[in-house]
């Protein structure tokens, strides 16, 4: 099948019509795309900020659509099912990581922007094991960011194995941070959210967290050894040491985003009268995805989004690039 997509042909370029051929394999499904987000990560791929973008690039790593065709060995999905697709499209399902249920670490995985084309298109073909059936409760543009941002923060939180009623912090209240606040709040933890934007205070409170103005240095010094867990969703530089000091002696610090420049750390903060842990989280496994979608549907977790049409894609990309849009931006395919 010839798939109509919208590709960026060079670093920092504009999206324009782009066609490629793709058949449906025995384990694959063809999906008619209904919604596709444009996230900060997509803009960074367009700019080749990480140095591994393959052009022409078809961005879009959070996708909701309807199954139009299934391969001969597909039994879990049928035509017309509503599904979500995230950053990862394939894995070998035979290596040690796949057999352990950690498909996101497979050396042969294929991900959007590096190995394969994304959701800024009329259709997409993916391995059916990376097309996740959605509950009717998630049939909305507001559910689209769950497919990558939601998965990343949820899997990072679950990894911490937090005891009930933990005291937790979220750094940043953008797309990732807003979902992290909701997950932690609905899990029953006491949530604090750090932001340099005072105008986000009301929104943060509504999501279930107490607001802390991170640009005020006194606000951090008063929080010594307060937190069991902190998750950072920041992609701008910050004082890591200052936040490590706010962790309890066995506190955990999870990173799901980072600035492009290197961050410094005083290693002693990890072991000086402490046993603190720093770890990163890259998307999540297929099980993580299914668990996250179930939890989100049960607890009505969704993103605040601005919806634009596919015809406005270049305007949308520019709005994300310049920071003009303060909530998640989702494109609706109206064809």
């Amino acid at each position: 099948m010839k798939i109509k997509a919208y590709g960026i042909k060079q670093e920092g370029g504009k999206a324009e019509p782009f066609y490629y051929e793709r058949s449906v394999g025995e384990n694959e499904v063809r999906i008619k795309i209904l919604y596709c987000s444009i996230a900060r990560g997509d803009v960074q791929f367009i700019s080749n900020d990480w140095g591994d973008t393959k052009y022409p690039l078809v961005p879009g790593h959070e996708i909701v659509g309807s199954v139009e065709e299934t391969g001969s060995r597909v039994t879990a999905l049928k035509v017309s099912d509503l599904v979500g697709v995230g950053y990862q499209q394939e894995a070998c399902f035979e290596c040690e990581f796949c057999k352990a249920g950690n498909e996101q670490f497979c050396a042969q995985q294929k991900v959007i922007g590096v190995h394969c084309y994304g959701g800024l298109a009329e259709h997409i073909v993916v391995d059916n094991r990376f097309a996740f059936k959605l509950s009717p409760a998630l049939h909305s543009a507001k559910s689209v960011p769950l497919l990558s941002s939601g998965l990343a923060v949820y899997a990072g939180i679950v990894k911490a194995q937090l005891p009930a009623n933990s005291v937790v912090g979220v750094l940043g209240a953008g797309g990732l941070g807003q979902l992290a606040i909701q997950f932690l709040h609905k899990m029953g933890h006491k949530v604090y959210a750090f932001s340099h934007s005072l105008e986000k205070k009301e929104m943060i409170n509504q999501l279930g967290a107490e607001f802390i103005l991170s640009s005020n240095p006194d606000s951090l010094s008063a929080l010594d050894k307060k937190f069991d867990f902190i998750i950072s969703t920041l992609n701008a530089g910050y004082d890591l040491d200052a936040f490590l000091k706010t962790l309890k002696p066995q506190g955990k610090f999870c990173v799901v985003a980072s600035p492009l420049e290197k961050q410094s750390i005083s290693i002693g903060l990890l072991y000086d009268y402490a046993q603190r842990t720093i770890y990163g989280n890259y998307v999540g496994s297929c099980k993580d995805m299914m668990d996250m979608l179930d939890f989100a549907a049960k607890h009505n977790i969704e993103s605040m989004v601005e919806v634009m049409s596919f015809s406005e894609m270049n305007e949308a990309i520019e709005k994300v690039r310049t920071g003009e849009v303060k909530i998640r931006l989702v494109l609706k395919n109206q064809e």
Side-chain angles (χ1 to χ4, degrees), residues 24-331:
V24 178
E26 60 183 12
N27 286 312
E28 294 181 321
V29 292
R30 185 181 80 241
I31 299 163
K32 171 68 175 178
I33 294 173
L34 303 175
Y35 296 104
C36 168
S37 75
I38 295 295
R40 171 65 57 182
D42 294 303
V43 171
Q44 289 182 289
F45 266 121
I46 292 169
S47 302
N48 197 22
D49 286 346
W50 296 295
D52 59 355
T53 302
K54 301 294 190 299
Y55 299 98
L57 163 71
V58 177
H61 62 281
E62 295 169 332
I63 303 157
V64 167
S66 178
V67 175
E68 281 194 343
E69 181 183 351
T70 62
S72 60
R73 297 183 64 181
V74 176
T75 58
L77 295 171
K78 64 181 186 303
V79 172
S80 80
D81 279 347
L82 187 74
V83 294
V85 177
Y87 180 52
Q88 187 176 4
Q89 287 191 20
E90 291 185 27
C92 74
F93 291 98
E94 296 179 355
C95 67
E96 60 175 307
F97 299 111
C98 288
K99 288 179 178 178
N102 292 309
E103 304 88 359
Q104 73 272 33
F105 305 136
C106 177
Q108 297 181 53
Q109 68 179 280
K110 292 186 179 180
V111 298
I112 291 169
V114 181
H115 312 104
C116 46
Y117 300 127
L120 199 60
E122 298 299 316
H123 296 85
I124 193 167
V125 176
V126 302
D127 187 307
N128 81 100
R129 290 163 287 191
F130 290 98
F132 301 90
K133 191 171 181 179
L134 297 179
S135 158
L138 300 177
H139 189 183
S140 145
K142 295 179 180 180
S143 68
V144 178
L146 292 171
L147 279 306
S148 182
S149 294
L151 175 61
V153 297
Y154 180 87
I157 292 167
V158 170
K159 175 70 175 176
Q161 297 183 316
L162 296 173
N165 304 310
S166 291
V167 180
V168 301
V170 177
L171 307 190
L176 287 159
Q178 291 169 23
L179 289 171
I181 291 168
Q182 293 180 77
F183 283 126
L184 288 162
H185 173 62
K186 294 298 184 180
M187 289 173 181
H189 304 303
K190 176 62 175 176
V191 189
Y192 295 81
F194 294 84
S195 175
H196 67 275
S197 302
L198 190 58
E199 62 268 23
K200 290 188 177 182
K201 182 178 187 300
E202 182 179 355
M203 177 268 292
I204 285 170
N205 293 158
Q206 290 175 347
L207 293 176
E210 289 194 26
F211 172 85
I212 299 176
L213 187 63
S214 56
S215 58
N216 178 5
D218 294 335
S219 65
L220 290 180
S221 60
L223 298 171
D224 187 59
K225 299 182 177 65
K226 182 178 182 67
F227 295 104
D228 297 288
F229 173 75
I230 293 175
I231 186 168
S232 174
T233 68
L234 298 173
N235 57 21
Y238 59 97
D239 186 350
L240 178 56
D241 287 355
F243 287 104
L244 289 176
K245 291 175 183 177
T246 71
L247 285 176
K248 293 177 182 179
Q250 290 184 304
K252 299 176 181 179
F253 191 100
C254 176
V255 178
V256 295
S258 68
L260 294 174
E261 64 271 16
K262 291 183 178 180
Q263 292 290 99
S264 63
I265 177 177
S266 298
I267 295 295
L269 290 172
L270 299 181
Y271 67 82
D272 193 13
Y273 298 97
Q275 194 180 48
R276 297 185 176 110
T277 302
I278 298 177
Y279 65 94
N281 186 67
Y282 163 70
V283 295
S285 67
C286 292
K287 183 181 185 303
D288 289 332
M289 179 75 91
M290 290 184 284
D291 289 347
M292 180 274 299
L293 291 171
D294 285 344
F295 189 91
K298 180 179 179 180
H299 295 282
N300 300 311
I301 293 174
E302 57 188 21
S303 291
M304 289 176 283
V305 301
E306 176 180 343
V307 180
M308 299 175 67
S309 72
F310 263 44
S311 62
E312 301 171 291
M313 62 184 67
N314 282 308
E315 179 185 343
I317 291 168
E318 191 60 25
K319 288 181 74 168
V320 175
R321 188 196 308 277
T322 60
E324 180 183 342
V325 60
K326 300 301 182 184
I327 54 179
R328 290 303 301 272
L329 201 152
V330 174
L331 296 177

